[in-house]
Amino acid sequence: MKPIVYLIGAGPGDPELLTLRGARCLRGADVVLYDGLSNAEILALAPAAEHICVGKHGQTRIWRQDEIIQEMLRHAALGKSVARLKGGDPAVFARTSEEVDALNQAGIPFEIVPGITAALAAGSYAGIPITDRKLASAVALVTGHEQPGKSESALDWDALARFPGTLVIYMGVTTAKVWTDALINAGKDPATPTALVRRCSLPDQTTLHCRLDEVAQRLTPASNFRPPVIAIIGAVTTLADSMRWVQHRPLHGQTILVTRPADQADVLADAIRDLGGYPLIAPAIAVKPIDDFTALDRSIENLDDTDQLIFCSANGVEHYFRRLHELRYDSRRLAGISVAAIGKKTQLKLLEQGIRTDILPEDYRATSLVDELQSSAAGQSITIIRASRGSDELPSKLKNAGAEVHEVVAYQNVDVDSADPSIIEAMDDGKIDWVTVTSSATAINLSRLYGDRLKHVRLAAISPVTAAALEERGLTVHAVANPFTIEALLHEIVQQS
């Protein structure tokens, strides 16, 4: 293996603001050294890598720069691909030159991968253009926290006070009085409009507008307006009223727990992000292949004797056709068989396999499918493709209507064993607004995993059946999808938020 170190900018906070190049480098990394300003969710891009946190303010010890460098060199010396993940951009107040010097001395190749720096992100997310043709044709990025031990400041505050454009101050919370006084004493107008943007691009982003001479009192420890904060100083901040957009998204400020199986969570999580919410993913249910294919194989071999094939979920379609192909068949094996589906997503999954559904109930309920099939079910051979567990309502009613019903399990639906500690902490701290529940099995296991904590969040259920499973456990349901789709579920959450 040839060692290499990637110095990657993680961006301002939102994991989706990482560059494509940064994501690709992370996927190939053996080790990731990440700091507290880089969103830990990005680590999901490097699931097989060793993850090493080099410090998070207020939570863990902050590593010294020489310790970080030594750790980086140690792993590279072993021939590993090392990703050094930094908040923002590696070239802006990130001490990257010190790490590059050490890599050059050790003869280790490296690559610097740019990221979105906080000044640009704070401006965009607060609706403030840091340059403007009328108000500011230049911008200066300034550190509010110089290297300790300097005998005097290296910053020319007189020049900065006269600077004909926007000033952006990084890392200036604890030294706010020092740099605001320095600017004002050097002639900067105390009334200069200023915006303080905290945790830009994250769900709890906050922006305060004030005068320059009010900044220090707004950033006192008692204000709880703690780092990371970017200060934007200048007339451009007055444009925020017309250019703000983050606050107008319907789920702005809402943190929503996604409890679907891991391989299905992204669709819902992406939809939440598009509406301005912040998804947390903690599956309560896992989908796994079955251990014994005997019954499924027999069903596929006996399709010539089947009149009706019912798919209850998109997962059922995926696992059924995977096995069909493993047995060296394709969709032609279903020729002449009537195919029914429950749910639009199931129908679309069948279309991917070249199968058009003959029957699709409008409200996506199993009982509605029974209503459509009941009059012709007598004497029919009906096969239901389903999960290892679920409601028995559909097969029971079809049998009562005179059908010969065969239930075939195509995949396992199993409980996640233990609760995610970070989710427990977030619930206890009141940081989760909604929990989405997309099946009765999910409802049951969520209750087991999180118990009474679920009484302190709002619950959104995919259907009345799922809502009933929650209510049977003493939980209040605040939103129920109608129709029973992810889109409708989010619509209800928006309506109730």
Side-chain angles (χ1 to χ4, degrees):
M1 294 182 294
K2 292 184 178 180
I4 188 168
V5 173
Y6 297 102
L7 303 159
I8 303 171
D14 185 335
E16 289 205 317
L17 296 180
L18 179 73
T19 66
L20 293 173
R21 177 62 183 166
R24 187 149 73 90
C25 292
L26 278 168
R27 290 190 188 101
D30 301 306
V31 179
V32 182
L33 297 173
Y34 65 101
D35 61 35
L37 288 179
S38 55
N39 194 322
E41 290 183 36
I42 294 175
L43 299 176
L45 292 168
E50 180 182 359
H51 303 155
I52 302 172
C53 180
V54 299
K56 189 174 181 67
H57 284 284
Q59 296 186 27
T60 62
R61 180 181 75 85
I62 306 299
W63 289 30
R64 300 190 312 272
Q65 185 63 24
D66 64 298
E67 292 178 307
I68 296 171
I69 290 172
Q70 288 305 311
E71 187 74 358
M72 182 174 63
L73 294 177
R74 182 175 73 83
H75 288 285
L78 296 173
K80 296 180 179 179
S81 171
V82 180
R84 172 72 178 98
L85 193 61
K86 297 167 170 283
D89 182 280
V92 182
F93 302 129
R95 303 185 70 173
T96 299
S97 62
E98 298 170 50
E99 296 174 2
V100 166
D101 287 344
L103 291 167
N104 278 329
Q105 290 175 18
I108 296 170
F110 63 88
E111 177 180 335
I112 300 174
V113 182
I116 298 174
T117 189
L120 306 182
S124 295
Y125 272 77
I128 299 169
I130 59 175
T131 63
D132 180 79
R133 291 181 65 183
K134 295 179 180 178
L135 301 177
S137 296
V139 60
L141 308 184
V142 183
T143 178
H145 190 83
E146 294 188 82
Q147 182 178 343
K150 283 185 178 179
S151 57
E152 59 182 31
S153 174
L155 295 171
D156 187 340
W157 292 107
D158 289 336
L160 288 171
R162 297 191 306 273
F163 184 73
T166 306
L167 298 178
V168 181
I169 310 292
Y170 285 68
M171 301 172 289
V173 172
T174 58
T175 58
K177 183 162 177 56
V178 173
W179 56 263
T180 54
D181 284 352
L183 285 171
I184 292 169
N185 291 337
K188 191 77 172 174
D189 185 352
T192 302
T194 302
L196 304 173
V197 186
R198 180 177 185 271
R199 288 175 58 81
C200 68
S201 80
L202 293 170
D204 56 348
Q205 172 185 312
T206 308
T207 304
L208 291 179
H209 288 269
C210 61
R211 294 163 40 119
L212 178 61
D213 60 0
E214 296 173 334
V215 168
Q217 70 186 59
R218 294 296 187 99
L219 295 180
T220 61
S223 72
N224 290 322
F225 209 75
R226 310 307 300 152
V229 173
I230 288 288
I232 304 175
I233 303 167
V236 291
T237 64
T238 62
L239 299 175
D241 284 342
S242 61
M243 292 190 62
R244 67 164 52 101
W245 59 275
V246 168
Q247 296 86 342
H248 297 324
R249 296 187 297 179
L251 289 179
H252 170 64
Q254 300 286 302
T255 297
I256 301 174
L257 189 64
V258 177
T259 60
R260 303 186 84 191
D263 60 346
Q264 301 171 36
D266 285 348
V267 172
L268 178 53
D270 287 346
I272 290 168
R273 290 189 187 97
D274 290 343
L275 293 170
Y278 188 73
L280 290 177
I281 297 175
I285 297 295
V287 172
K288 296 182 178 180
I290 54 179
D291 299 318
D292 184 353
F293 289 95
T294 303
L296 180 56
D297 291 353
R298 185 186 306 117
S299 171
I300 292 172
E301 296 294 347
N302 294 336
L303 278 173
D304 293 338
D305 300 324
T306 302
D307 300 304
Q308 183 85 48
L309 194 58
I310 299 175
F311 290 92
C312 297
S313 69
N315 276 324
V317 175
E318 180 177 343
H319 287 267
Y320 182 88
F321 277 89
R322 182 183 301 164
R323 188 59 180 172
L324 187 79
H325 297 150
E326 288 172 353
L327 295 175
R328 305 182 68 83
Y329 292 115
D330 58 28
S331 56
R332 289 173 294 181
R333 188 77 185 95
L334 277 65
I337 300 171
S338 177
V339 177
I342 299 175
K344 189 74 174 177
K345 290 291 189 296
T346 310
Q347 180 193 39
L348 292 174
K349 204 71 175 177
L350 283 164
L351 277 174
E352 291 176 10
Q353 298 294 338
I355 302 297
R356 291 186 178 276
T357 51
D358 299 289
I359 301 173
L360 179 75
E362 289 186 6
D363 64 1
Y364 314 139
R365 295 174 54 156
T367 52
S368 298
L369 182 58
V370 171
D371 292 340
E372 294 199 30
L373 294 175
Q374 211 158 16
S375 60
S376 60
Q380 293 276 302
S381 176
I382 299 177
T383 297
I384 300 173
I385 306 301
R386 57 174 298 168
S388 57
R389 62 184 180 183
S391 172
D392 293 325
E393 183 179 20
L394 176 60
S396 177
K397 288 190 174 181
L398 288 174
K399 288 175 184 176
N400 290 339
E404 178 187 342
V405 178
H406 305 276
E407 297 181 70
V408 177
V409 173
Y411 65 98
Q412 294 186 74
N413 198 320
V414 300
D415 292 336
V416 169
D417 292 334
S418 56
D420 185 327
S422 66
I423 300 301
I424 289 177
E425 181 181 356
M427 285 184 178
D428 290 343
D429 292 343
K431 293 182 178 178
I432 294 178
D433 300 288
W434 286 93
V435 175
T436 57
V437 190
T438 53
S439 71
S440 298
T442 299
I444 294 167
N445 202 38
L446 275 175
S447 178
R448 182 185 68 82
L449 292 173
Y450 299 105
D452 286 346
R453 288 184 175 88
L454 295 173
K455 294 181 178 179
H456 305 295
V457 297
R458 286 180 286 181
L459 299 173
I462 193 73
S463 69
V465 173
T466 303
L470 290 166
E471 290 165 349
E472 286 170 8
R473 283 150 184 83
L475 300 170
T476 300
V477 178
H478 300 80
V480 181
N482 185 20
F484 314 137
T485 65
I486 292 300
E487 293 79 6
L489 184 67
L490 284 178
H491 175 75
E492 285 302 315
I493 290 175
V494 168
Q495 295 299 110
Q496 301 297 329
S497 294

